[in-house]
Amino acid sequence: ALQKSLDLCLAAMKATSGSIMLLNEDGELTLAAYKSLPAKTVMGFRRILGEGIAGWVAQTGEALLLTEDDPDPRFSGVKKIRDAVCIPIRDENAVVGVLSLNERQSGEGFTRSSLDFLGPVALQIGMALTRARLYEKIAREKEKSTAIVESMGESLCVRAPDRTIIFANSAHKAIFGENCVGKHCYEVYVGHDKICRSCPLDRCFETGDTVRRSHFVLDQLGIRRQLETTTSPLRDADGGISSCIEISR
């Protein structure tokens, strides 16, 4: 996605080369996407905050326009640059990287208008990057949680208000079958066609209480088994009870 964003920026500005650099956990800029850069530049590229042009932009959060006719004295010791722009990539809170484009093909050179155009583009890149990192974090946490649930020896399931089983771990499926998800618990557990009398989920949904009980069920082979279960409410973002989780031993 970052390479595509860079390619679009290069095409829009008719630039010959460029890069997207991102700050890592150590506060260093590393190359995340690039095009038409010298191999010696790419290999092992790292910049600390404040180092060079990109490091200065990342540290200060200010965009730079660099031209041969109007050189920036702050970078007199840096290799001479004929035509380039360097833009901070931000999320909502801070600089997360730098977008750098070099030498327009038209020969017209970058201008202040180039900065005005690329600023919002860099912001969109930063927001998209933040969302992608958030989704990745959520996916990792979900994977971790699923692994923990699947490794449990106890049977665990989640049921909706209409008693549909919407999730079951491996231990639950071992008792009631792989196809129990999507079915009503009263069908799966006791072979009924309606909600059982004194169903513990009634109290769970109505009061938000955790309910513990001992009861008999039929496993996938039709064998009667006694289970000790604990049923607790699961709440949505608004605090309402959206489902119930049940752990059985």
Side-chain angles (χ1 to χ4, degrees):
L2 287 175
Q3 186 64 52
K4 184 177 181 180
S5 296
L6 175 62
D7 290 343
L8 289 172
C9 289
L10 289 167
M13 300 306 298
K14 298 181 180 179
T16 58
S17 64
S19 65
I20 291 177
M21 296 159 271
L22 298 180
L23 283 169
N24 62 20
E25 294 179 352
D26 297 324
E28 296 176 319
L29 284 170
T30 59
L31 283 173
Y34 60 89
K35 189 168 185 178
S36 302
L37 294 182
K40 62 181 181 180
T41 299
V42 173
M43 188 172 296
F45 178 90
R46 287 182 183 275
R47 292 287 185 275
I48 61 173
L49 283 176
E51 180 186 3
I53 295 169
W56 185 89
V57 170
Q59 186 178 56
T60 64
E62 296 181 27
L64 278 179
L65 171 65
L66 300 167
T67 66
E68 189 173 30
D69 296 333
D70 186 21
D72 193 314
R74 289 170 296 187
F75 307 107
S76 57
V78 180
K79 179 182 176 181
K80 187 175 181 180
I81 295 175
R82 294 172 52 192
D83 180 31
V85 286
C86 204
I87 315 288
I89 297 174
R90 302 175 181 273
D91 62 11
E92 292 180 338
N93 303 310
V95 174
V96 295
V98 173
L99 168 65
S100 178
L101 303 181
N102 307 309
E103 296 190 25
R104 299 187 75 182
Q105 297 170 0
S106 61
E108 298 174 359
F110 291 107
T111 65
R112 290 290 167 187
S113 295
S114 305
L115 298 183
D116 293 339
F117 173 80
L118 289 169
V121 174
L123 178 61
Q124 290 300 313
I125 293 173
M127 298 296 287
L129 181 64
T130 300
R131 287 194 298 270
R133 286 174 172 173
L134 177 60
Y135 293 151
E136 183 180 345
K137 181 179 179 181
I138 291 172
R140 286 199 305 268
E141 291 300 321
K142 183 178 179 181
E143 184 178 344
K144 186 189 301 182
S145 299
T146 300
I148 292 172
V149 168
E150 289 296 339
S151 67
M152 291 174 58
E154 294 88 356
S155 162
L156 181 148
C157 73
V158 178
R159 286 181 278 173
D162 68 352
R163 307 312 194 259
T164 299
I165 300 170
I166 56 179
F167 173 82
N169 71 351
S170 298
H172 191 87
K173 292 176 180 177
I175 299 173
F176 299 107
E178 290 289 333
N179 298 322
C180 63
V181 175
K183 295 180 179 179
H184 296 109
C185 59
Y186 49 82
E187 298 176 80
V188 174
Y189 298 167
V190 290
H192 289 177
D193 59 1
K194 60 182 179 181
I195 295 175
C196 305
R197 288 191 302 172
S198 303
C199 175
L201 266 70
D202 288 337
R203 180 178 162 193
C204 201
F205 279 112
E206 290 172 7
T207 68
D209 292 341
T210 293
V211 181
R212 295 176 178 84
R213 67 168 180 156
S214 176
H215 65 117
F216 288 92
V217 298
L218 299 175
D219 66 16
Q220 61 180 319
L221 300 177
I223 299 173
R224 196 165 181 257
R225 300 178 57 160
Q226 185 175 12
L227 295 178
E228 302 290 333
T229 63
T230 301
T231 307
S232 303
L234 294 177
R235 299 184 181 273
D236 57 26
D238 297 323
I241 298 174
S242 59
S243 57
C244 286
I245 184 170
E246 185 172 84
I247 298 176
S248 304
R249 297 175 179 83

